[in-house]
Amino acid sequence: GAGVSQSPSNKVTEKGKDVELRCDPISGHTALYWYRQRLGQGLEFLIYFQGNSAPDKSGLPSDRFSAERTGESVSTLTIQRTQQEDSAVYLCASTPNSYEQYFGPGTRLTVT
Amino acid sequence: SQQGEEDPQALSIQEGENATMNCSYKTSINNLQWYRQNSGRGLVHLILIRSNEREKHSGRLRVTLDTSKKSSSLLITASRAADTASYFCATANSGNTPLVFGKGTRLSVIA
């Protein structure tokens, strides 16, 4: 079946611009996570959605970052007024209430 | 913050040899998982071990967990060039919670 998809796969933007990253989870997966991975580093948790519960935003690094999810479907991660330190791969994962997380291919964001 | 710390940071071996990677973590966990990442993009789940388990096998993979030492190891036997990737351990302190990842081990298997 279809896995987690993310778009765009690559995004180059100028400092100060806003960007929107999209994640399509696997159908039926109730939980969705966003992570950030800087070059050569592990993954940093950003935000977590579980069903209709309030999202866990504890990992968002600043108020320039926000995310939404409509029901148990698509999620968008928005970064406002991008900075060079926002350059990273942004990874989305979903899970059907189990422990194993299924990752998308990521969006590589480059802020120039 | 990152909980897991993998050791070594990089490992280079010949095809056919075994590869062992270690992971240490700081707080109590519900489970520990190992993931593989090719070319810095999506991660693939390899194996999960629960806090009440000590050893688990999956194909050429063997994972151990020592909760008293807060450490885990991943052994890949009879390595292949296709095993070349970065390997990350990730911990969860309960089900369906965000995973906390280490920085990973870069494994290179030379044919």
Side-chain angles (χ1 to χ4, degrees), chain A residues 15 20 27 44 56 61 63 101:
Chain A
K15 178 181 171 181
E20 250 188 27
S27 177
E44 303 170 72
D56 176 355
D63 59 7
Q101 295 189 11

Side-chain angles (χ1 to χ4, degrees), chain A residues 42-91:
Chain A
L43 278 68
E44 303 170 72
F45 164 69
L46 296 177
I47 189 168
Y48 159 49
F49 296 90
Q50 172 64 58
N52 293 320
S53 303
D56 176 355
K57 303 180 182 180
S58 60
L60 294 178
S62 78
D63 59 7
R64 296 186 296 104
F65 287 71
S66 63
E68 293 183 348
R69 187 183 187 194
T70 307
E72 293 185 353
S73 60
V74 170
S75 175
T76 55
L77 175 70
T78 301
I79 309 173
Q80 295 179 309
R81 305 181 302 283
T82 51
Q83 303 295 312
Q84 287 187 331
E85 63 262 28
D86 299 334
S87 296
V89 176
Y90 290 82
L91 290 153

Side-chain angles (χ1 to χ4, degrees), chain B residues 19-37:
Chain B
T20 300
M21 289 161 270
N22 303 297
C23 167
S24 60
Y25 57 92
K26 297 175 184 173
T27 63
S28 62
I29 61 170
N30 173 283
N31 66 82
L32 184 145
Q33 304 177 37
W34 285 90
Y35 286 80
R36 182 183 71 210
Q37 184 179 40

